[in-house]
Each structure stands twice: as C-alpha cells, then as structure tokens.
Amino acid sequence: MQDLFALLQFGSDGWGDEIAAGAWLTLRLALATLPFGLAVGFLVALARNSNRGWLVALGSLFATVFRGLPELLTLFIIYYGGQILLQKAVSLFVDTYVEVSSFVAGLVALGLVFAGYASEVFLGAFRGIGRGQYEASHALGLRPFATLRLVIVPQLLRLALPGLANLWLVLLKDTSLVSVIALNDLLRETAVAVGATKEPFFFYLIACLIYLAMSIVSSFGIGGIERWSERGHVGAR
Amino acid sequence: MNLDLLARYGPRMLEGLMITVELVAISVALGALLAVPVALARLSKARILRALSFGYVYLFRGTPLLAQLFLVYYGSGQFRDALESVGLWWLFRDPFYCALLTFTLNTGAYQAEILRGAIRSVARGQSEAAAALGLRPFPTFVKVIMPQAMIVALRPLGNEIVLMIKGSAVAAVVTVHDLMGVTRLAYSRSFDISAYLWAAVLYLILVEALRRVWNGLERRLTRHLSLRPTKEASDHLVPDAEDAIS
C-alpha cells in the first residue's frame, strides 16, 4: 500500500504532478465550455420561444439532435468533420495543412451538447415567468431587449439555476470523453500512468475519486450560488 | 453520400445496433432489479444501510461512466488470479460483460435515486391507510406504494434509458463492437466521415423510437388519470399529475 501511494508523488518519481496537470486540464475544459454552452443554449431557447415558425423548428431540431446523439459520437463528428471542413476552407486560399486542436473540438462538441440540454432548461424557465411581467414591461415603455435584460433574465436565472447546476455536473463528467481524442485530461493522464506502472485499479480509482471530489466541491459552490439567486425571493413553504 | 461504404459496412452497423440495444436492455433491466433494494436502503431507518447505499449511489453518479468502465475492465486484470480462483474471470475477461456490469451498476445508482424520489412522493396517508386496513409492510409496498410511485418514476426512467443508450457508446472504447465500435472501425478503414453521420442517424432513430414507445406506454398507464380528470381527483391521486400525464 505504501508503494502505491509513493507512485502518487510529485516530481520525476511519481505520477502526482501528471495527474494533477490532467485534472487541471479537465477543469479548464469544463470552465471554458460553460460560457459557450450557456450562450448557445440561451440563443436556442430564445429561438424556440419566438413566434416565428422556422426559428422554433430550427431550435427544436438542434435540441433534438444534440440531446439524442451520444456525446462520444458528437465529439468524433466535430473532431473529424471539423478537420475536413476546416481543411477545405483553408485550402481554398492557401495550400497548408491545418489541424483542429482537440481542446477546441472538445469544447465545441461538449458545448453543443450542453446547449441542447440548457435550451430545454431555459425554455422551462421562460414558461415559469408570467405574461404579466411582459405586459408590465410593455406598459412601462421598455423595449423588447431591455425587457429581456432587466426584467426577464434576472428572474429566469433563479428558475433555471437548479437545472443548469445539474448540467454542470454532467458536463464535468462528460469531459472524460475527450481523452479518446488524445487530449491530456485527467483520464488520459491516468491511462498513461497505468501504462507505465501496471496498477490500473489503483490509478483509475484515484481518477474516479478526483472526479468525485470535483463534483462535491461543485455542489457546495452551486448551493452558494442558489442561495444568492434566491436572495430576493420569498418562496412558498 | 457514399453508397459503397453503406454496402460494405451497413449490415455490420445494423449488427452493432443490435449489440447496443442488447447492452442497454440488459443493463437497464438488471439495473432496475438492483435499484429497488438500493432505493429502499436509502429510505431505511438503519443508519448503516443508508450510509452504504448513499456511498454507492454517490460514487456512481459522481464519476464519469468511462472512468468506471476503465476501472472495471482494466482494473480487474490486476486481480486475475483471484478472479480465476473464484471462477469469475470469464466475466471480466470479456469487454462486453465488463461493459454490461459497469452499465448495470451505473444505471442502478441512477434508477435508485429516481425510485427513491418517486416513493417519497407517494403521500404518507397511503401507507397509513394500508396499515389501518391491516396490510403488512411487504404487500403495502408492492400493492399500494409501488404502483403509485412507478407512475411518477415513469418519465425520469424513460430519460434514464435514453441517457443509457447514449452512454453505451463508450463501450466502443474498450473494443465492444456496438454501433459506435463498428462505426469507428468503418471510419478507421475508409476515412469517410459519412460513417459517423450514418451512425448518428441510427442513434437518433433509436432514441426517437424509444421516446415514442415510452410516451405511448405512459399514456396507457396513466389513462385512469387523464380521462376527463376533475381538478380535485387528479390532485389527490398523484402529487404532480401534470408532470406524469403531459
């Protein structure tokens, strides 16, 4: 047992620093995906909530596709497909070889999946806001964008937060898939350590526990944010 | 669209689809069997049962499915001698069985949480009334609590199956020839991205088909609640009848 933990040392003897670097990349990827996914998800929800038929259809199609596809498949399609598309686009102008970074491919793929689910959450939150809010804003002479920014979004956030918090936890776990497209995240660094030490059970268990720790820390953070968003709201019960 | 690719790999992709369906169907069914005792343990009065079931559920819901699969598939190799001596090595040697075991444990944890929420949503008066009628705890659970809880659990269970269909794609990483595995093979041999697009279509059809079947099932099982429900009646029968019906 002592020997096993010696393998977790930092520095050239142990794998602690490699695994920590992987965990840091996992965290960075999740944090970078979050704003992208939220923004796209919000736009899709706006589209699905609009009164133009084609926008609603387009938004629904987006949500259906990215909620229905396996995340791994989305990742491959973005990674390999993006590569082909980018190469074609670039070769129209210059004759060089370009490569899609697996970080960007991971970010886009996970972001689109996040957006598909987030649009559903936002849509539910939109439905939770009474018509009176829009009518009152209109009566006060607020323009549509100002209504959205000053009246709707602050209330929307409170309603959407529990759903979004769940999606964050899902996102954190889904980042493990990028290890398959050769991005050195927590799981891949662990796999490298396993390859060298032949201690798969110990290292994968450590990796699982690190993911678990990230989830637990996130849950505390989410609790804090939820209390903050509820500060002006006197709920039932 | 490359028809040559489809001619060569189409039948194998359909076989892969069947493996995916098999993998999901068996693990969801076994997970459901596992979920009932775990959910009961989560709700039990004994602290040790609560702690154990909480640990299990938290561990499997808080970590990625892929990491769990690696833990089972690669991790078990380390215990080969021990597993051979108890005659379980055949199970851990085969990637399909490893995926099946991992998915069962994973979906069992999720389904236990769904079930726990659903059981808790059944009003207390139901079990009190059953006790007043002289029903023992077991018949009360099977005949009074579960039928009502299942109606509440139906929709989240459907979502869980969809998540499992999508999640099962990671089995391809440990060389299971499910739909994703066959597709990766087709891509690595042909470098034709349309292989992935065909797989996408098949997955979407599978998920959509399940959703339709599930909606039909739900309509059928809740038909006694949706036939011109008076506000009062539906309020009493299921706590969130709206959710269960729509």
Side-chain angles (χ1 to χ4, degrees):
Chain A
M1 210 54 193
Q2 206 97 76
D3 299 345
L4 282 178
F5 283 103
L7 288 174
L8 282 179
Q9 274 172 6
F10 280 60
S12 55
D13 292 337
W15 295 90
D17 46 343
E18 281 81 359
I19 290 175
W24 174 228
L25 191 130
T26 289
L27 215 52
R28 269 189 353 240
L29 178 63
L31 285 174
T33 306
L34 186 64
F36 172 68
L38 279 176
V40 176
F42 187 68
L43 290 178
V44 172
L46 276 182
R48 293 175 71 186
N49 202 37
S50 77
N51 40 25
R52 290 201 190 100
W54 64 274
L55 268 180
V56 176
L58 215 60
S60 305
L61 183 71
F62 177 93
T64 307
V65 167
F66 286 106
R67 289 189 315 140
L69 285 185
E71 293 79 1
L72 193 60
L73 186 58
T74 308
L75 188 63
F76 281 148
I77 290 177
I78 300 285
Y79 185 55
Y80 296 120
Q83 176 80 53
I84 294 168
L85 285 182
L86 191 70
Q87 185 70 67
K88 280 200 175 134
V90 168
S91 60
L92 287 179
F93 304 105
V94 279
D95 195 25
T96 48
Y97 178 72
V98 286
E99 201 167 346
V100 175
S101 105
S102 44
F103 188 88
V104 173
L107 189 154
V108 171
L110 294 174
L112 291 176
V113 174
F114 186 94
Y117 283 100
S119 78
E120 204 81 353
V121 171
F122 282 129
L123 206 58
F126 268 122
R127 303 223 165 107
I129 294 173
R131 267 186 62 160
Q133 299 287 335
Y134 293 92
E135 289 166 356
S137 309
H138 192 67
L140 287 170
L142 288 176
R143 291 184 175 283
F145 185 70
T147 305
L148 193 66
R149 189 170 65 87
L150 298 171
V151 180
I152 306 304
V153 168
Q155 302 182 64
L156 196 72
L157 281 183
R158 182 177 61 80
L159 291 172
L161 214 53
L164 294 178
N166 260 341
L167 291 183
W168 163 255
L169 294 176
V170 172
L171 172 66
L172 210 52
K173 289 183 282 170
D174 278 351
T175 55
S176 64
L177 296 174
V178 297
S179 61
V180 182
I181 56 167
L183 190 59
N184 289 326
D185 77 324
L186 172 56
L187 199 56
R188 194 174 155 83
E189 291 287 2
T190 309
V192 173
V194 166
T197 59
K198 309 285 178 231
E199 289 287 352
F201 189 79
F202 175 71
F203 275 105
Y204 284 125
L205 193 63
I206 293 287
C208 281
L209 291 180
I210 294 175
Y211 278 113
L212 198 59
M214 287 187 193
S215 298
I216 292 172
V217 171
S218 297
S219 314
F220 280 118
I222 290 161
I225 296 172
E226 264 170 12
R227 273 193 297 283
W228 169 78
S229 77
E230 297 268 350
R231 70 203 182 286
H233 181 76
V234 182
R237 273 177 289 177
Chain B
M1 286 289 132
N2 188 342
L3 287 177
D4 197 35
L5 180 93
L6 206 59
R8 189 176 311 160
Y9 292 106
R12 292 173 71 174
M13 280 173 77
L14 288 180
E15 274 169 38
L17 183 68
M18 286 325 289
I19 302 265
T20 293
V21 170
E22 202 180 326
L23 199 56
V24 172
I26 300 175
S27 55
V28 166
L30 291 179
L33 290 180
L34 180 64
V36 177
V38 174
L40 288 178
R42 287 276 276 139
L43 292 166
S44 111
K45 289 195 188 79
R47 180 171 278 180
I48 176 86
L49 281 180
R50 270 211 314 270
L52 280 177
S53 54
F54 177 80
Y56 160 69
V57 167
Y58 219 85
L59 185 68
F60 277 91
R61 296 197 340 147
T63 58
L65 185 58
L66 188 60
Q68 293 163 17
L69 185 59
F70 282 174
L71 186 65
V72 170
Y73 183 61
Y74 295 115
S76 62
Q78 232 175 318
F79 306 108
R80 181 172 177 171
D81 294 338
L83 288 169
E84 265 175 347
S85 65
V86 290
L88 275 177
W89 179 239
W90 58 272
L91 184 81
F92 290 95
R93 194 188 52 196
D94 187 297
F96 180 82
Y97 289 132
C98 277
L100 204 59
L101 177 66
T102 314
F103 293 174
T104 300
L105 290 173
N106 183 280
T107 190
Y110 281 93
Q111 288 186 40
E113 278 307 273
I114 292 170
L115 207 56
R116 182 177 76 101
I119 291 173
R120 279 176 53 125
S121 80
V122 176
R124 204 196 161 100
Q126 296 289 329
S127 53
E128 286 170 355
L133 286 172
L135 260 71
R136 295 189 165 278
F138 186 71
T140 302
F141 179 71
V142 173
K143 301 211 152 154
V144 180
I145 308 295
M146 272 307 260
Q148 299 182 65
M150 284 317 286
I151 285 176
V152 178
L154 210 53
R155 178 151 290 255
L157 271 181
N159 291 341
E160 168 59 18
I161 300 176
V162 169
L163 287 181
M164 224 38 237
I165 292 175
K166 291 161 31 135
S168 72
V170 301
V173 181
V174 294
T175 70
V176 173
H177 286 273
D178 68 334
L179 176 53
M180 190 72 197
V182 175
T183 309
R184 279 182 89 187
L185 194 79
Y187 180 76
S188 67
R189 293 208 183 140
S190 63
F191 290 105
D192 189 342
I193 190 76
S194 60
Y196 282 125
L197 298 179
W198 282 114
V201 170
L202 286 178
Y203 271 114
L204 283 180
I205 290 174
L206 187 60
V207 167
E208 196 57 29
L210 180 90
R211 225 170 52 86
R212 301 248 157 138
V213 168
W214 210 261
N215 280 344
L217 193 71
E218 202 171 319
R219 254 200 310 281
R220 174 142 185 91
L221 289 176
T222 57
R223 65 195 188 283
H224 59 295
L225 301 171
S226 56
L227 278 178
R228 276 174 294 148
T230 59
K231 174 99 181 56
E232 219 174 324
S234 62
D235 275 351
H236 279 130
L237 278 170
V238 242
D240 37 9
E242 294 293 324
D243 215 324
I245 294 164
S246 63

